[in-house]
Amino acid sequence: CLMYASVALGFMTKGPVAVVLPGAAFFVYLLIEKRLRDITKMMFPAGLAIFSAIVVPWYLLVYQKHGCDYIVSFILNENISRYTDEGWGPGRSFFYLGTMIGDLFPWSILLIAALVFVLFRRKFGERIFGEDGFPHARLMAIWTVVIVGFYSLSRNQQDQYMMPTYLAAAVLVGALIASSAEKYLSSVRWIFFGMGALLASVGGALLYLNASGSSVDLAGTGEIGMVLLIGGITVLVFAAARKSEIAAYSQVLAVAGVMWIFVL
């Protein structure tokens, strides 16, 4: 019931794409898992009733006040035209793949590994996520890949369209880190060494650029560099002391701090 209500609210906000993308992700998942018969258990009559009860009254009121113009403009111009016509943003390319790697950095390095384990290495994936958790991990991986693939075929691309994938991606990476921390402690330690060195290096480079007077067209470059440098060194110190959990929290705080400075 909550799923259909969410789809209805998504339809009112962004149009048909809020139905197409979740539907495509679930269909691909059930197809791969050989569970297409589960579609018959998805409460379609009740779901359609919930969807209609939320969506139809609003569209009727809009039609009464504005006629068909607003509805047609919303569905055609704001959805189909943005997908098929040029002029809104970058054209078909690997733009969204780069967006995800950048927006989720440095976790995106582990996201690639998680996707490989879930989509192509079932036995290894079950060891990472557990037999009970593996189907959920596969659903989140398919959700991420379907949305990235769908929007990558668009004639116009904007980075915010990747936001629906970030929660699923974060859970995949978190599960990978948690399972690795339990099973491969020595490997995790070296991962944090690498991450800490990377953060500290980027922070130091930004501080150098800021101090040397280079024209970096981004406010807060010095503050971002300082947070990354301190955060990277902190991660290195706790990784050396075999405090992987504190090293992870240090990395999270550093990245979150950078994001807040960037937004402000």
Side-chain angles (χ1 to χ4, degrees), residues 59-73:
Y59 274 92
L60 286 176
L61 290 171
V62 170
Y63 176 77
Q64 281 183 336
K65 189 168 185 178
H66 302 287
C68 288
D69 292 344
Y70 178 85
I71 297 173
V72 171
S73 175

Side-chain angles (χ1 to χ4, degrees), residues 83-84 90-95 152-157:
Y83 193 85
T84 58
R92 290 171 182 163
S93 64
F94 294 105
F95 172 75
S152 294
L153 296 175
S154 173
R155 298 289 295 274
N156 299 282
Q157 303 184 355

Side-chain angles (χ1 to χ4, degrees), residues 39-97:
I39 293 176
T40 60
K41 304 175 184 178
M42 293 182 68
M43 297 170 48
F44 275 124
L48 182 60
I50 293 170
F51 180 88
S52 301
I54 295 173
V55 171
V56 172
W58 187 82
Y59 274 92
L60 286 176
L61 290 171
V62 170
Y63 176 77
Q64 281 183 336
K65 189 168 185 178
H66 302 287
C68 288
D69 292 344
Y70 178 85
I71 297 173
V72 171
S73 175
F74 174 64
I75 294 177
L76 295 182
N77 295 339
E78 297 295 323
N79 282 266
I80 299 175
S81 293
R82 287 198 179 197
Y83 193 85
T84 58
D85 297 340
E86 296 180 355
W88 294 91
R92 290 171 182 163
S93 64
F94 294 105
F95 172 75
Y96 286 124
L97 186 59

